[in-house]
Amino acid sequence: MRWKGNNMASKDCVKVAVRVRPFNKREKDAGSRCIVTMSNNSITIQDPRNQQNRRTFTFDLAFWSHSGFIRDTQGLFIPEEPGGRYADQASVFQGLGEGVLDNVLQGYNATLLAYGQTGSGKSYSMLGYGPNKGLVPTLCHQLFQFIRSNQDTRQSQVFFSMLEIYNEQVIDLLSRGGRSPRALKVREDQQTGFYVEGLRKVPSDSAAQVEQLMEQGTRTRTTASTHMNSNSSRSHMLIILQLKQIFSKECITKQSNINLVDLAGSERQRSTGSETDRLKEGTAINLSLTTLGNVISALAEAALGKKVVHVPYRDSVLTKLLQSALGGNSRTVMIATLSPADICYEESLSTLRFAERAKRIQNRAVVNEGPTERLVKELKAENAKLLLRLSKLDQEGRRTDEETKELRRLLTHNQLQIRAIQTLWEQRLQEALKDWEAQYTTITQERTMMQMYPYLLNINEDAQLSGVIKLFIQDGDWDVGLDDTSPRSISIRGLGIQQKHAVFSNHSRRVTVSPLSGSKVIVNGASISQKTDLQHLDRVILGSNSTFLFMGFPSERSGEDWTRYDYDYFHSELAAAEGVHLHALWEQHRALQTDPSLLAVFYDYIRLMPMVNEANQMSQELHKGVEFKLEIKNLAMSDSKGHDLEKEVAVRVRSVDNKQVWVWSKAKFINRKFLMEEVYQQQVGGVSEAEGGALSGGESRDRDPFWDPVEPLHLGSAHLWLQSLPFRISVDEQVEVMGPEGSEEAILHTQLLPCSPKGLPLGEDEILIDPTELLGKRLDFLLVLDQCCGLRWVKEARSRGVQIGFRLFDCPQALYTPAVWQNVNPVLDYRAQFTALKTSPELLHYLQSSALVLELWGLQDGCSELESCLDGVRMTPERSFIIDKSSSPQNTAVDSSSSDLSSVLDALYQDVEQLRISNAALRKENAVLREQLNASVALGAEGGRGRGERRESLRTSCDADFARALKVFYHGMTSVRGQLQRLRRHRPSEEDDLLGLRLFVDEHFRLLKDFGEQLEQCVSALKHDVAAIVRRKREKSGIWSER
């Protein structure tokens, strides 16, 4: 029956609060900077890349929990000064929880939502940790305290439910026997709305019972996330408290539902924005959170008076269950949690925007009256009428046996109904107490064993789920794996776990682990293959990603805080074993201080590591024949100035059978990973075809998340520097094509040839001393790509091919060479002519400071070749590509760079400037000589002609000498630049010992010495040539002046 309100519904806006948490260990170690400030109920967030870019938001409540706190002797976090600004758990409950409790006791439905990115403090605010109790346990404690103090005026009944929504499946976390093999269905009743069919409702009469039920649900959630390979940070947890208050005297009942929702992490995916995934819409993992955002946006627009045609409640399981909380019969509170660290700027800003929309939503809450109590009331009224009728019959003396029997039967039936309704609560409570006692016995037994034996403690990505599972290693040998048939076996489940995975032995207070054949065991970041001793607080990973912390014998535990060994610690240790850690990234970036972009890359890497391991294991078990590998791409490979830009994490995907290769972005891989989980659970987890949906059974290749159509693959880039072109000096170089990870992919033979409009190379007489002479004049040059040598891409598979692509200055489209196949050293023989009709200052600056980025693209069987698109490209009648279309003068600024290469180039530019000044002085001297020669009128006509010829010969000779000197200088600098690149790539190996480091230092010193000598030789030769030219000119001019 429909709940009805005993008063008119009033409009209530969703109450929104924001809480700023402290830096976590990851952010402290990285030296993160706080970018969030708070004043009263206003939050201001600053863009770390632009300090002038600030956004301010105002909410109903704001809690500053970032700083200004201490930890007391009981482990509670409290303000370091009385009345300080720090908001502890008690302050948060006072601001939010008390209002929720008051609404519930009045008979309103109430909802408390926690929203924010993973690790922002949602679970801590909702559930708490240790002695710092969160909103849920504190609310339950206050609720039962109120019930006890008011039990004389009312009878109160509390029912507790706990469920999880993962990948659009509803899981009952309190179901007997752990996780249900099948997901529960969400049904709709025309009167009561959406509900979960078969969800267990457990009666509770104390806060201790509720806490025990929450612990049971958390244990089920932890075990389930391991068994089903799910990610807790992508799941939603709902706690539902149903409160019935029966007022006997008033003969009324108030029934309230409290929805306490810990939403999945809301982090945004960093993506280039240009990449699309053909299966992007296939996954349901983010559907609920996305739909929740759409529902809130629609309701926010409706609150502003806009016409909203449709609110998509039915598009996801979560929004179906929260329909009453969002725009319906509920008083709703949202707490948005965020990190103030600079590396979390995008996610924190997104959270604030989401919360700002949510505060506009208007609900219509009413006090609810339950149908069951109305039935009791009606039955009692009917019994009163029956008794009155019996009394009248007795008084009138016209009672018949049959009539009396019928009346008494009806009276008895009504009384039995009333008794059944009233005793149902007590019976269900007794059953719940029996379950609670059995669980309490199990907990007591576990605590006893903790004081006797060492054990493995689970570590989960969600801190709330860490430390829940304990695997005790009693005396003797114990088989750990999927098999649980042996009495001396410890059963664990997860990706990559074998039937018998490893043997843990406990003999004479010595614990060892011995991997069995084909199993993967990692201890402290290193893979092991033989018996290994375990020490207290060793980190153990079994299979793909079952992470455990080894807790030694009780005598070895000194009460230290093991929580520092969190999920990130495990995978940072693994990354360091692979040579990836913050110190190495900073060295590559030559950063003198913390760079948020590098921190983001590092944490992306350690976050994706376990996901890549799981993807590889799923591929192996499903016989997909696909391998996944993490890569850190250096975006400087695509920068025309060669600057170190942001790095990014990508996943290299390789088919074992046909050696096809793909490179997926982080966002694409995460999306595919969730789809892989769906396929894996359907085929290995035993999900039926009807439940499996489109990907069940033998999914088609087009729907297979492990496969993609092959596309051209960016293998690497080479930089061909253009600074010789303004001098009209040709370049003939062999440039290295470097991959995103710094590997040499090929050697490319290239030429830059200044030429005439018809494409004929210019001679040395056309070399310019001052590049500014080009301004406003026509410039033509040829780009020649002769040959590509040593193609590593083709060496790996001879059937492959390559193309070279590039884009010059303002050319609107990229140009590509014809494809060449099945050749490690292909001849490209590609020539393209470019023309600037009127050289602008922007083009001149580009040529002097930039390089032409030549991109090497790999082709595979079945992929289409890259074609040059000439849309918007202008060409001369000689078929030369026109660049520098805009010749309007603009102020240009020389980009500054802190890199070593730019410093060297700056010094060279200064030398060239001095040469230009010297050239100007020589021109001035030439003018003086010209005047002297003109003044020699006494000489004959023939003598005058002879002197004119000598003067012209002198000027032509000097210019040619300058041109040759500059040409030699620039060719020498090509070698210097190559030596500099080798220096930048020369780094020690992570596995080097002290002797290896000494050898590295010696080699590095030798390379540095060679670089210095080559640089000094080039500059000295240039200075020597210039001095010789000036000396010869002065000697000749002196001789002529004497004559």
Side-chain angles (χ1 to χ4, degrees), residues 844-962:
L844 183 60
H845 173 68
Y846 169 79
L847 296 176
Q848 290 177 320
S849 61
S850 303
L852 176 62
V853 180
L854 302 170
E855 297 181 335
L856 178 64
W857 290 86
L859 305 176
Q860 310 172 64
D861 286 336
C863 91
S864 58
E865 299 177 1
L866 295 168
E867 296 182 358
S868 300
C869 178
L870 301 183
D871 292 343
V873 177
R874 294 171 54 197
M875 304 189 75
T876 67
E878 296 82 11
R879 306 301 296 169
S880 174
F881 296 98
I882 297 177
I883 58 174
D884 198 15
K885 301 179 184 65
S886 174
S887 302
S888 59
Q890 298 177 355
N891 293 327
T892 60
V894 179
D895 292 340
S896 60
S897 171
S898 59
S899 67
D900 297 337
L901 178 59
S902 294
S903 299
V904 173
L905 289 176
D906 288 342
L908 294 177
Y909 292 151
Q910 292 176 6
D911 289 341
V912 172
E913 180 65 19
Q914 290 189 358
L915 290 175
R916 192 184 66 79
I917 295 173
S918 299
N919 183 54
L922 290 174
R923 289 174 181 270
K924 185 176 180 180
E925 187 176 354
N926 276 349
V928 173
L929 291 173
R930 189 180 300 110
E931 292 177 0
Q932 291 178 353
L933 290 173
N934 291 334
S936 301
V937 295
L939 296 176
E942 291 210 11
R945 281 196 299 272
R947 284 191 296 272
E949 291 173 0
R950 290 192 186 98
R951 182 183 64 190
E952 185 65 27
S953 174
L954 173 63
R955 186 178 65 182
T956 304
S957 176
C958 289
D959 288 347
D961 288 342
F962 267 118

Side-chain angles (χ1 to χ4, degrees), residues 767-835:
I767 294 177
L768 298 178
I769 304 301
D770 185 0
T772 59
E773 295 181 20
L774 275 177
L775 292 175
K777 298 180 180 178
R778 175 164 177 157
L779 171 66
D780 291 89
F781 62 91
L782 283 170
L783 170 66
V784 181
L785 303 178
D786 289 324
Q787 187 175 14
C788 203
C789 301
L791 281 167
R792 194 172 74 162
W793 171 252
V794 181
K795 287 179 183 178
E796 295 173 355
R798 287 282 180 169
S799 61
R800 295 172 175 171
V802 293
Q803 285 180 271
I804 305 293
F806 59 91
R807 181 179 295 174
L808 185 66
F809 193 49
D810 59 357
C811 189
Q813 304 291 344
L815 303 177
Y816 298 96
T817 64
V820 287
W821 294 83
Q822 303 176 3
N823 195 334
V824 177
N825 305 303
V827 175
L828 303 175
D829 195 20
Y830 177 83
R831 302 168 73 89
Q833 182 175 340
F834 297 89
T835 298

Side-chain angles (χ1 to χ4, degrees), residues 95 100 110 229 307 311 339 341 418 421 454 560 583 628 718 757 773 794 832 878 940-941 1032:
V100 172
N229 187 38
K307 183 179 180 181
V311 180
S339 164
I418 294 172
I421 293 172
E560 69 280 354
H583 180 68
F628 301 88
E773 295 181 20
V794 181
E878 296 82 11
R1032 286 197 301 271

